[in-house]
Amino acid sequence: MRARLLIQRGAPGEAPREEEFALEFEPGESVLDGLRRLRVEQDATLAFRYACLNANACKECMMLLDGRVIYACTARLEAREMRLAPLGNKALLRDLATEIAPPDERLG
């Protein structure tokens, strides 16, 4: 099976651009599994966050999938076009990575 990932790329101050990646996957693989493999096999510069201590608890891998907020660790890859973008209401770091916790809640 093959997913077509359309990923919004860019950094603060840059015009966002969309890049397309084709990704083979097995049924049940998460979007996060795919992104991690994509970074190893196709583009080491792709930025996204994750800290898999407990699924759906850390909130590090939150992003938009087709305009809806998801956890990349629990959303599943599908054999279709899947559009990924950073959270729009958080400060962009780069690509899909945003600042999750407000500055006053981050550990120093």
Side-chain angles (χ1 to χ4, degrees):
M1 294 173 40
R2 176 173 281 226
R4 205 169 119 222
L5 300 180
L6 302 172
I7 300 176
Q8 184 175 313
R9 306 287 305 264
E14 296 178 358
R17 66 189 187 285
E18 193 171 76
E19 291 186 15
E20 181 177 333
F21 298 91
L23 186 65
E24 296 286 334
F25 70 96
E26 297 292 325
E29 278 190 81
S30 71
V31 170
L32 181 59
D33 293 332
L35 289 171
R36 291 176 65 198
R37 199 169 65 255
L38 193 152
R39 189 163 57 187
V40 169
E41 297 173 358
Q42 296 184 43
D43 188 342
T45 68
L46 179 63
F48 55 92
R49 296 178 73 129
Y50 68 97
C52 298
L53 301 172
N54 186 7
N56 207 15
C58 70
K59 298 180 177 51
E60 291 286 321
C61 67
M62 288 172 61
M63 62 185 63
L64 298 178
L65 170 60
D66 298 330
R68 294 175 306 133
V69 176
I70 56 112
Y71 294 102
C73 64
T74 59
R76 300 292 168 224
L77 287 170
E78 299 176 24
R80 64 177 181 89
E81 179 180 289
M82 302 178 80
R83 184 166 265 113
L84 298 172
L87 296 174
N89 63 342
K90 301 291 183 184
L92 178 66
L93 299 173
R94 193 177 89 230
D95 300 336
L96 300 173
T98 56
E99 286 192 7
I100 300 300
D104 60 340
E105 291 181 17
R106 277 186 241 132
L107 297 174

